[in-house]
Structure formats: structure tokens, C-alpha cells
Amino acid sequence: MQTSQDSHSATQQSDASGYAKINTAMLLAFINRLLGATRGIDTELNIEVSKLKSILERSASDNDLITQIKQVERQVMLQPHILSDTLKIGDSATIQATKSLINLLQDDPKLTAELQLLLAEPKVTAVAALQTKVQSLFCIYHSAIKNLQMHRSNNGGVTATAHKKICDDLQRLINELDFAGGFGSNLQKIRQRLLQGVESHELVDICLQIINNIIEGAREERLASKTFLHAIVEELNNIAYKFDNSFIDSSKISKKQMSLLENLKERIDILDLDISTCENLEETKLHVQQGLEIISSSIQQQEQLLQEKVRLEQQIKAVQDQLEQLKKETLLHTQRLEAQQHKLYLDSLTQVYNRTALDERFKLEFKRWLRYQTNTTIAIIDIDHFKNINDTFGHIAGDKALKIVARALQKSIKSKDFIARFGGEEFVVLLADLEPHEIQAILDNLRKTIKNIPFRFKGEQISITISIGATQFAPEDNETVEPFERADKALYQAKSSGRDKVIISN
């Protein structure tokens, strides 16, 4: 018969089992919602949560449940880092795309203004904000495409301004290339064709021709360098072989000379002894005659050795001449390669460093700052109303303005500082060893220098001013993009607040 105590215990077990079922059901419902919320965000997290759901559904042991909960917990703990990295990459890519569109849409002030506002927005800290930013960028891009299509439908092709810019850019590209032989001639012919004027529909074919000549020219240059190096190796091997033989021959001649001298000395000693023991004149004459023959033979052998030595010296001289010629050819080849390499880092129009050189120098300065904590200032310089100069006076005036500004900036900075053309009408200057309180005065001097340039074009006075945004590397900077973005935002503030200003971001 069941006692009241047994009945009470059974009731408790039944209640516990009921609670467990309710808790399990609630947990499964929560996991289903969690799977729905994380779908598409992290595959690993979805897998681990699905495993947890499976364990609960089959009522596995507590140990299995606890182990799997820990696995899910590990994946959840990784989420902030994964999300942070994803947001950082996404935001950086959006910024770069925005800057590229700004360069492409210089003829559309409305879209350019929208892009500048998008660029000025703070870094995203949530996926929704990144999605909104990307969506805005796509809307602007879509508008740009529509505008381009309208231009094409109205003009039957690209605008005259865009067409001229493409032709100018292609000419500059060809100027930067330094190919010898047929491919160099082909590129110069294409450049002449561009100078004489081409139709819009011809540009695609011209671009393909340039690309093809660049690829083939680079392949030919690489093959020529490989052939040249192979020839040098062969020549050096040949010279080494000749030197080895010359050394052996020289050693043999020296041994022969020593042996000949020793033999001659020995024969003279014998002759001296024979003469001293001679008893009559006839016998003495005979020994003297023998001695003279020995000396004559020795002289002949010495002459032969001397001729061999002269021949050997001539061989060595010829080898030295070969080495000298090889040295000259190698030097010329090295100088040409260095000139080509240097040209790759120069902006063809302004002759200051280009974007590629800036990227490398910027990384180097950042590493140096991380190691030594030196004061490094980044200043982004933009020519105010540059589009107006192009529109009013033409691209030749714009190019001349860029050259004058570049030259003036170059003369105004120290030799250890660095200047590069970032693109369009923007320049970047890296200034070394400036204290924070010195930056404003230095950059204001740069601004005033440009403002005071007496720039005239075809008899008309053109006013040139610049806006500058600057910052220094800061302890919280983990990568080069962060100080650059600060300087870029400071530049935007300088331009939006009236231009012809210097704004420094701390």
C-alpha cells in the first residue's frame, strides 16, 4: 500500500518532470528564435546552436548539454570581434568607393555634394547603419548611371569634357611608360593619334591597343632582362674559366723559371769545377765551349718563357677589358631599371610623387611612428574651385595651376618631408618632427605661399587658394586609414566653412 510520503514524493517528481518539459519547450522555442535572428550572420554560430537544439530534442545527458552550451557561448563571445572587423572593412570599402565616385563625378555638383555628406558621416557601429550607408551609396551610383545615360542620349556619346579628359589621361599614361623597340613606337603612334583628335567610339579600341602594348611590352622587357642576366652569367663563367687557366699558366711559368735558374746555376758550378781542374788549354777551351752552349740554351728557354708571360699578360688584359665592358653594360642596365622604377613613383604632370609612392611612404612613416613615437603630421591639400579654372580657362590652365602649386609646395617643405599628388587637385604632405603647436603656423605659411603666387594665363590673372586639413598620428591609431580619415574630415570642414583655411584635427 502506498504511503502518504511516497505519494508526496511521486507528486514532486511529476511536478519536476513537468517543469523540465516546460523549460525544455521554452528553451527550444528560444533557440528557434535565436537561429532565425542569427541566420546569415555567422555560419559557425548557427551550426553550434543547431547542435544544442538537437541535444535538447533527444533529451541527451546533462554533460552533453553543458558541453554544447559552452561551445555556443564561445561562438557568442567571438561575435563582437567578428562584427567589429566586418563593420570596419565594410565602412572602409564604402569610404573608398565614395572617394572614387567623387573623382568620377566632378562634373555633377549635386551628386558630389551628396557624396561629400556621406563621406563626412561618422564610422558605422551597427550593421543597420552600414546597410543604410551602402544603400545611400548605391542610390547615388544609380543616379550617376542615369545621368550618364541621359548625357549619352542627348549627345550621342560621352560629353566633350569627359572625352577630352579620357584622351588627356591616356596621353599621360603613355608618357609614364618607357618601352623600347616596337611597342614603344606603337604607344607613341597612339599618343600622336590622340593629340590629333579621335572620335568617342574609337576610345575603346585605343584603350585595348594600349593595354595590349603594355602587356606585350612588359613581357618583352622581362624577357630582355632575363636574357641579359643569362648572358652576364655566361660571360662571368667564361671569365672565371680564363682566370683559372691564366693562374695555372702563370704558376707553370714561374716554376719553369725557377727550375731553369737552378739548373743553370748547377751547370755553372760544375763548369767552374771542371775549369779549375783542367791541366791544359785545349781541355779548358772545351769546357768553356760547353758552358757557353749551356748559357745560350738557358737564354733561349728564358726568351720562350718571357714570350709565354707576355701572351699571358695579354690574355689577362683582355679578360680585364671584358670585365670592364660587362661592368659598363650592367651599370647602364641598372640605371635604366632604376629610372623606370623611379618613373613609376612620379606623377607625370606635376613631377612630385604619385599615389603609389604615397601609400608606401605612409606605411613606412606609420611603422616608424609606432616604433619611435615621432611627431608625424599628415596634411591633405585641395585647390579651391579647381573645376572653375578648368571650366573657365580649359584643362591646359588647370594643368599649369597643378604644376605651379606642386612646385611651390615642394620648395616650401624640408628635404626630409614628403609630398605626393593624391589625385585630381589634391596633394598630401607628410611633415616630420613638428610639435603640435607648430603645425598651424607652418601650414598657414604654405597656404599664404600659394595664395601669393602671381598666376596669369593668356593675359588674365587667376587667383589660386588652397584648403588644408591636417592631423598627427595618435596613440589610438591602429592602422594608417585612421589618421588619413581625420585629415580628410578636417579638409572637408575647411572647404565647407569657406575655403582658403587650415583646419587641424586632434
Side-chain angles (χ1 to χ4, degrees), residues 175-186:
N175 280 336
E176 288 180 10
L177 299 168
D178 185 25
F179 289 131
F183 298 110
S185 299
N186 291 344

Side-chain angles (χ1 to χ4, degrees), residues 229-287:
L229 290 173
H230 180 72
I232 285 177
V233 171
E234 287 292 320
E235 197 67 29
L236 287 173
N237 284 333
N238 184 36
I239 289 169
Y241 175 75
K242 287 179 180 178
F243 261 126
D244 286 342
N245 286 344
S246 297
F247 179 76
I248 293 169
D249 290 345
S250 178
S251 179
K252 286 179 179 178
I253 290 171
S254 296
K255 287 178 180 178
K256 284 180 180 179
Q257 284 179 322
M258 290 296 296
S259 176
L260 191 60
L261 286 171
E262 288 175 5
N263 185 45
L264 182 60
K265 186 179 177 183
E266 184 181 341
R267 298 298 296 271
I268 289 171
D269 289 341
I270 294 170
L271 179 62
D272 183 48
L273 180 62
D274 289 342
I275 290 172
S276 63
T277 56
C278 285
E279 295 180 354
N280 54 59
L281 184 58
E282 288 299 324
E283 192 176 351
T284 301
K285 285 181 178 180
L286 179 62
H287 286 306

